[in-house]
Amino acid sequence: MKYLLTGATGELGTYALHYLKEQVELNEIVVLARTEEKAAILREHGVEVRICDFGDYASLIEAFNGIDRLLFVSSQPGAAVSRGEQHKNVVNAAKKTGISFIAYTSFPKGAESKSPLAQDHILTEQLISESNISHTFLRNNWYIENEKDTLNAAVAGHPFTYSAGDGKTGWALKREYAEAAVNVLTGQASTPEVLELSGNPITYVELAEALKIASGTAFEVIKMNDSDYQTALTNNAIPESVVGFILMIQNDIRNGELDVMSDDFEQTLGKPLTPLVDALKEFLQK
């Protein structure tokens, strides 16, 4: 059996490679890299590395040769080749080379989501479904690490600010999402078509209170409107493009796009998620 992991140099992929090495033999693992420089880092793990780019269909055909099961970590938007086109290349190459199973890191709620962030994922889910390749959509909620600037600033004595109102998010550690993905990839967990992987949905106020306990730090928690939050972010030298992204996420959370109740995560891990205070302590120790 050959397992292929994409995005192996990213944070999620690095965790996934760690868990995959615990479950299968090294000679069963293949990872992708875009450059020889990144490949060298991955080869230190003792795994086979193949060079390819999602924007280059021919390189994907070569890289997917002989692969049985694929962990398809979604690419980042904003490249020269659109994420939609990249993902189309991946799915077409997987079909062409006879890959038997795809685990794809998607977005909460699938086609029901109204988030701008969900649109490429909705398209990719459709492409995978139409490919007739067996698959599981890993609809990852939100990583605690995504809030690193807010969390670290608060612990450093700055106000904990947000504009998402009373919207709820299913935060969990990135490593837990990676472990769940690998359990699905290797068949250690059940592989239904959809897994809504979400922690217990909570508000920013609840997240802040947990952070106070985890850090032993007191700080002010300020709920803002988008305009004031935009000003605060800009005053903290956050680039305009990043500010726009942050406000979009705040709007999604306010509108319930990340408010997902599901026990899929713990079922897939085969154990409870790390309690929030403990997860925040772990985050702060990184």
Side-chain angles (χ1 to χ4, degrees):
M1 184 72 70
K2 284 284 189 180
Y3 301 91
L4 182 105
L5 171 62
T6 79
T9 56
E11 290 183 1
L12 183 72
T14 298
Y15 285 125
L17 179 56
H18 166 77
Y19 289 114
L20 188 56
K21 287 167 65 179
E22 290 186 339
Q23 293 194 22
V24 305
E25 299 296 327
L26 281 176
N27 62 8
E28 293 181 296
I29 301 173
V30 179
V31 297
L32 298 188
R34 288 195 303 273
T35 66
E36 283 294 343
E37 181 181 8
K38 291 187 175 182
I41 297 171
L42 290 167
R43 289 192 179 105
E44 294 177 0
H45 292 272
V47 297
E48 180 184 351
V49 185
R50 299 180 185 179
I51 306 295
C52 87
D53 190 306
F54 283 3
D56 182 351
Y57 178 72
S59 73
L60 285 164
I61 292 292
E62 186 173 350
F64 287 0
N65 183 47
I67 298 300
D68 299 294
R69 296 172 72 88
L70 168 66
L71 176 53
F72 178 8
V73 178
S74 57
S75 65
Q76 295 296 316
V81 178
S82 71
R83 179 159 68 171
E85 284 300 310
Q86 289 184 37
H87 287 191
K88 184 177 180 180
N89 286 342
V90 172
V91 176
N92 287 342
K95 185 174 182 178
K96 180 74 172 180
T97 55
I99 285 176
S100 62
F101 177 81
I102 297 174
Y104 171 66
T105 59
S106 193
F107 194 82
K109 300 186 178 182
E112 295 178 9
S113 176
K114 301 298 187 294
S115 169
L117 284 177
Q119 302 316 302
D120 287 339
H121 296 291
I122 292 170
L123 170 64
T124 307
E125 287 193 6
Q126 181 179 350
L127 290 170
I128 293 172
S129 295
E130 292 172 351
S131 75
N132 293 320
I133 299 172
S134 295
H135 57 271
T136 294
F137 300 138
L138 307 166
R139 292 181 178 164
N140 291 354
N141 200 276
W142 214 238
Y143 309 137
I144 286 175
E145 291 85 347
N146 289 350
E147 306 291 347
K148 63 181 180 181
D149 291 338
T150 299
L151 300 175
N152 287 332
V155 172
H158 300 285
F160 182 110
T161 57
Y162 65 99
S163 67
D166 295 328
K168 294 184 177 182
T169 302
W171 286 290
L173 290 165
K174 191 174 290 187
R175 67 166 176 81
E176 294 179 300
Y177 287 98
E179 184 176 2
V182 168
N183 286 351
V184 169
L185 177 68
T186 61
Q188 294 293 319
S190 61
T191 55
E193 183 174 23
V194 173
L195 289 170
E196 288 284 356
L197 302 180
S198 175
N200 180 42
I202 60 171
T203 65
Y204 271 101
V205 169
E206 292 171 295
L207 179 65
E209 290 304 311
L211 181 62
K212 289 178 181 179
I213 297 169
S215 64
T217 305
F219 48 82
E220 188 177 6
V221 180
I222 304 176
K223 179 169 69 173
M224 297 181 168
N225 58 40
D226 279 346
S227 178
D228 290 342
Y229 193 42
Q230 181 175 6
T231 300
L233 292 169
T234 302
N235 289 343
N236 286 327
I238 305 297
E240 183 178 348
S241 60
V242 178
V243 169
F245 178 81
I246 292 171
L247 291 175
M248 179 172 61
I249 294 301
Q250 294 294 298
N251 184 67
D252 280 348
I253 294 172
R254 187 166 52 244
N255 292 333
E257 295 294 342
L258 300 183
D259 188 355
V260 177
M261 285 293 297
S262 171
D263 65 356
D264 287 352
F265 211 160
E266 294 190 344
Q267 291 293 328
T268 304
L269 289 173
K271 58 187 177 184
L273 286 167
T274 304
L276 182 60
V277 170
D278 292 338
L280 289 168
K281 286 180 179 179
E282 181 178 325
F283 163 79
L284 293 171
Q285 291 170 357
K286 292 180 181 177

